[in-house]
Amino acid sequence: MKKRAPNLEVLRIDPTICAGVAMCARVAPNTITLDPWGFPIIPTDVLTENMAKEAHKAVRACPKNALFIETREFEG
Amino acid sequence: MKIFSQDIVFGSANHELSLGETRENFSTHSKLNIVTTFGSNAQAEEFLTLLETSGLTGHGGAHFPVARKIRSAMQSPAGGTVVANAAEGEPGSAKDAALWQFRPHLVIDGLLIVAQLIQAKRLVIWIHNDERASHRSIVEAIKERELAGSPIHVEILTMPPRYISGENSSVIAGVRGEAIAPRYRLDKARPWGLGNPSILSHNSETLARIAMVRKYGVEAARSHLLTLLGLDRRTVTEAASSDTYGQVLSKTSGNPPTLFGGYGATWMPWDSIKNLQCDPATLRATGLSFGAGIIGVLPVGSCPIVETGRVLTWMAGQSARQCGPCFRGLADIAQRWNDFATKAISADDYHTMLIRIGLIPGRGGCAHPDGTIRLARSALTLFSDEVEKHLEGKCEYEHSLDFLPVPLEVATS
């Protein structure tokens, strides 16, 4: 029996919606940093388990709904 | 097979000079007998294969393969829209203007061909509201077709002359009746506007080339329009893929800094482009981009660092003001750059600017910030000696001449 591979998660942002409210960086300090202009810098890599926990919080916290999680099938 | 027989010169104060080139009217154009319809699906397929073989790519700047874009749209149900994008956002470009003012029917034929292929029911010409000469020529062309008994139903949609309103996703949004601003999409490689039904937008030159390929075959895809910047004029010239930039600009001497492609493209030293061929595919293979086909050879008295600052200021002002890294970031970079270009800034301040430049690419909804930063970075890489000079408060080029055309910010709505 093949073990089912885990889904990999990536945090994404729609920059046209993001208004720099910055609540995401507050709830996900180890995952999201702010640039000098106050806008979030989102990791482009697949999230580690700890980062994923924070990222989900950030998605829920964003008052503009600019953040979302993209899942990718594990291709290994 | 070329579209124009002569160069077309747009002089200062919007005074158009055509040296021997005359505007086609419908009766002269119809002698070409370009067939815009297809008798059967097999004929349509045959033409698409021809387009593929020709290697024609979009001439707006992104150079996406044209046949692939049309084929994608053909997957969607009939009843879509085809747009001729005549919103020439680059102040240095005049090729759309040349086409619409001298070969309007050729572009319209390209529009009709694409409309046939994707079975579109709506045809749109998308143009800035300050392009009066082109607009007149389009209206005239539509009237000529009507009088000749071959009426076409084309909508002319106009909008304020913002750089970003010619961007593909802005065009699609505008045609849908939504706000004219770029849209965010996850898959940037996918031509925007595919759906149910599709809205397909093509650059004006692309459409003209499609019509040319229909008439003359694959050879017609092997020439490209360039706009050469001069002190008091923009010259639209047509180069064959086999021509080198050195042949096209044969009077260029020395090794002047050259703007290559457009304001979202790169600087190049003249020496490294003069032997390159004017061909999008060849350039892509060497990691360069044909861009929008603008070539700006800097004259004596014009410094690439200062010129870059002028362009950055304008590009920052042209942001659609949707994405923070673009409208806040570019404005900040432009200000820092102009300080760097015109006064001796500290090494620390210079370092801060570099770090901030690195924070922008990939973080906008469209490619506007990426292109702007690409130009800035190419200036830093190629003119590193001049960068050092400016950090010492000097300018080797003794800048006294603002060369690149940059419109003043005016109210546009």
Side-chain angles (χ1 to χ4, degrees):
Chain A
M1 262 289 270
K2 226 175 171 183
K3 200 181 153 195
R4 194 175 143 65
N7 277 334
L8 304 176
E9 296 188 326
V10 183
L11 181 59
R12 304 293 295 255
I13 183 169
D14 180 342
T16 65
I17 295 176
C18 172
V21 184
M23 285 177 89
C24 57
R26 237 178 275 156
V27 301
N30 303 304
T31 307
I32 297 171
T33 52
L34 296 178
D35 71 17
W37 311 291
F39 294 89
I41 299 173
I42 306 297
T44 50
D45 292 342
V46 169
L47 299 167
T48 63
E49 210 169 306
N50 286 339
M51 285 166 93
K53 262 182 215 158
E54 280 200 354
H56 280 275
K57 277 191 212 165
V59 169
R60 285 192 298 272
C62 176
K64 304 294 286 183
N65 289 321
L67 293 167
F68 58 100
I69 304 276
E70 190 186 70
T71 49
R72 293 182 189 163
E73 289 283 319
F74 183 71
E75 297 167 14
Chain B
M1 248 324 144
K2 292 190 171 178
I3 294 173
F4 296 113
S5 57
Q6 313 249 359
D7 289 352
I8 292 173
V9 182
F10 291 81
S12 50
N14 275 340
H15 178 68
E16 291 91 35
L17 310 158
S18 77
L19 309 171
E21 194 74 42
T22 50
R23 179 185 180 279
E24 61 175 13
N25 58 32
F26 189 55
S27 80
T28 51
H29 172 77
S30 37
K31 290 189 185 110
L32 287 176
N33 246 325
I34 297 176
V35 185
T36 57
T37 54
F38 300 93
S40 64
N41 286 346
Q43 277 184 21
E45 182 51 41
E46 195 185 328
F47 177 66
L48 278 166
T49 309
L50 188 72
L51 264 188
E52 246 151 28
T53 315
S54 78
L56 183 66
T57 54
H59 275 68
H63 292 277
F64 192 86
V66 169
R68 202 191 304 167
K69 188 162 160 176
I70 295 173
R71 278 192 199 280
S72 309
M74 287 168 75
Q75 309 287 315
S76 301
T81 304
V82 183
V83 186
N85 185 357
E88 196 162 38
E90 293 267 357
S93 182
K95 68 189 179 109
D96 287 8
L99 284 165
W100 286 109
Q101 287 167 42
F102 292 90
R103 293 287 179 272
H105 291 289
L106 186 69
V107 191
I108 289 173
D109 274 357
L111 188 65
L112 294 173
I113 290 169
V114 177
Q116 269 282 313
L117 287 169
I118 73 161
Q119 294 176 46
K121 66 163 191 230
R122 188 177 172 210
L123 294 130
V124 173
I125 298 172
W126 180 258
I127 186 166
H128 290 144
N129 61 15
D130 63 345
E131 289 285 349
R132 293 193 181 88
S134 297
H135 193 279
R136 263 200 307 277
S137 177
I138 293 166
V139 171
E140 194 63 26
I142 294 169
K143 209 184 295 167
E144 285 162 15
R145 286 185 182 242
E146 196 178 312
L147 289 172
S150 318
I152 48 165
H153 191 75
V154 182
E155 289 168 59
I156 305 174
L157 296 183
T158 61
M159 78 298 306
R162 291 190 62 81
Y163 182 84
I164 218 71
S165 43
E167 191 270 341
N168 204 30
S169 66
S170 298
V171 177
I172 309 294
V175 167
R176 283 190 174 128
E178 299 163 5
I180 303 165
R183 294 294 188 273
Y184 171 73
R185 63 195 137 143
L186 272 173
D187 181 2
K188 296 202 181 195
R190 197 163 169 262
W192 187 260
L194 301 178
N196 187 12
S198 284
I199 300 174
L200 199 55
S201 167
H202 284 291
N203 164 266
S204 305
E205 185 184 353
T206 310
L207 292 172
R209 296 274 165 220
I210 289 171
M212 290 290 282
V213 170
R214 180 79 171 133
K215 167 76 186 172
Y216 300 104
V218 294
E219 274 307 302
R222 296 194 183 125
S223 44
H224 317 278
L225 296 178
L226 294 169
T227 312
L228 314 177
L229 299 179
L231 277 172
D232 63 347
R233 61 189 55 199
R234 293 168 300 161
T235 304
V236 177
T237 193
E238 193 166 6
S241 290
S242 54
D243 292 343
T244 62
Y245 286 96
Q247 285 167 322
V248 175
L249 290 115
S250 55
K251 288 178 192 147
T252 308
S253 60
N255 185 23
T258 303
L259 179 83
F260 190 69
Y263 287 173
T266 55
W267 287 102
M268 292 288 282
W270 172 248
D271 277 349
S272 32
I273 52 172
K274 66 182 179 192
N275 296 321
L276 294 174
Q277 288 178 327
C278 303
D279 179 48
T282 314
L283 291 172
R284 198 164 41 245
T286 57
L288 289 168
S289 173
F290 191 83
I294 297 162
I295 304 294
V297 181
L298 285 195
V300 172
S302 203
C303 164
I305 300 295
V306 181
E307 290 291 296
T308 302
R310 297 176 58 239
V311 173
L312 289 180
T313 304
W314 185 74
M315 291 290 270
Q318 291 296 306
S319 168
R321 304 184 65 81
Q322 295 187 114
C323 309
C326 180
F327 80 89
R328 294 269 192 246
L330 289 185
D332 181 36
I333 300 299
Q335 198 181 356
R336 286 170 187 274
W337 188 287
N338 287 320
D339 284 350
F340 150 63
T342 55
K343 35 187 127 145
I345 62 167
S346 71
D348 277 357
D349 284 348
Y350 179 69
H351 188 65
T352 304
M353 181 181 82
L354 290 187
I355 289 173
R356 293 188 174 201
I357 282 175
L359 290 174
I360 293 177
R363 293 181 58 220
C366 74
H368 183 72
D370 300 12
T372 308
I373 293 301
R374 189 181 309 130
L375 186 76
R377 279 181 159 163
S378 74
L380 297 177
T381 313
L382 288 162
F383 311 119
S384 51
D385 292 352
E386 185 64 9
V387 168
E388 293 301 322
K389 293 270 179 211
H390 279 263
L391 288 173
E392 292 162 16
K394 295 174 195 151
C395 176
E396 186 74 23
Y397 295 82
E398 298 180 338
H399 185 91
S400 58
L401 179 68
D402 291 345
F403 176 67
L404 295 173
V406 174
L408 295 175
E409 285 290 329
V410 287
T412 50
S413 53

